[in-house]
Amino acid sequence: MTSPEPQSPAPQPESKDRVYRSAPAIAGGVLLLALTAWLGIDAVISGEGRTPWLALALMLLIVPLVVAFTLRPAVYAGDDRLRIRNPFRAVTLPWGRIASLKSAYSNEAVTESGTKYQLWAVPVSLRARKKAARREMRASAQARRAMGRDEGRGSALGMGVGLGAASGHGQVSDGPARAETDRIMDELRGLHEARREAETAQGEVTVRWAYEVVAPAVAGAVLVVVLLLVG
């Protein structure tokens, strides 16, 4: 009688990167591309003289720039590294090479050497921060009013002013209100702290220029200049 062969453990599914992008930027980019296509195609079809050629050159210049600043930016956070796709560069940062993730007027990843890389896909919104602060102030005011009512009822019943706190009344939120991009940065900081010492999260920082964006934009700019000078 033969003993059953030991079964190998089932392969674990690979963890997928968390992807962060700016929805307003994407929406604005789509609208700008639609407007550029509409005006450009109309100029090519109905234009005279060098107008169609100038329209094509401008489209060759404008379309890559719109894509670069609106549709292209993204941040990919994996178990081992942070990948930043900015308008003209793609940066790969192992968690072990990141010293800190800072938020001021822009969100940045700072390496151990002091080099800063801006996270274009996670822009800072001062308006959203102010809105979150106002929401937090309203929640705090509501909590104080609710606690005051509970304390008043507890005093009337002779049960002490601590009844509201003891029963948990007046808690209207689990934590302070935060702007969306600030919450994203909190998630990235948490992942950084959890993975920075991992052996697989070490390595070199790599930077790659987005020639697929730069080349057509430069070609379009050159063509526009040439057509203006010739005309």
Side-chain angles (χ1 to χ4, degrees), residues 20 77 82 95 101 119 184-192:
Y20 303 97
L82 180 70
W95 289 118
L101 292 160
L119 278 62
I184 292 175
M185 292 301 293
D186 290 341
E187 292 180 10
L188 295 179
R189 291 188 186 100
L191 190 55
H192 173 235

Side-chain angles (χ1 to χ4, degrees), residues 9-179:
Q12 297 295 327
E14 296 183 0
S15 59
K16 295 182 178 180
D17 291 352
R18 305 178 191 179
V19 183
Y20 303 97
R21 308 184 73 176
S22 174
I26 294 175
V30 171
L31 290 176
L32 286 175
L33 288 176
L35 180 62
T36 301
W38 175 39
L39 296 177
I41 294 175
D42 180 69
V44 170
I45 294 175
S46 59
E48 299 179 356
R50 61 189 180 94
T51 299
W53 296 104
L54 185 59
L56 288 173
L58 285 172
M59 290 177 64
L60 186 60
L61 170 63
I62 294 173
V63 169
L65 293 179
V66 171
V67 171
F69 285 98
T70 60
L71 305 183
R72 175 179 165 81
V75 173
Y76 302 87
D79 289 339
D80 299 328
R81 59 189 55 84
L82 180 70
R83 292 189 294 129
I84 305 170
R85 196 171 69 185
N86 284 342
F88 301 116
R89 293 192 300 179
V91 184
T92 301
L93 300 169
W95 289 118
R97 291 291 179 266
I98 298 177
S100 63
L101 292 160
K102 293 184 177 181
S103 296
Y105 293 103
S106 64
N107 292 316
E108 299 172 336
V110 184
T111 65
E112 294 175 334
S113 62
T115 306
K116 298 179 181 180
Y117 297 100
Q118 186 175 348
L119 278 62
W120 279 78
V122 190
V124 169
S125 174
L126 298 179
R127 180 180 179 183
R129 284 182 177 176
K130 292 178 180 179
K131 184 177 180 180
R134 289 194 298 269
R135 188 164 62 247
E136 179 63 21
M137 290 176 63
R138 288 195 297 268
S140 299
Q142 292 174 359
R144 287 194 296 269
R145 287 196 296 268
M147 185 173 294
R149 289 194 297 268
D150 287 345
E151 289 176 351
R153 286 196 297 267
S155 177
L157 293 172
M159 299 178 64
V161 296
L163 180 62
S167 62
H169 295 311
Q171 296 180 357
V172 296
S173 63
D174 295 331
R178 301 275 284 166

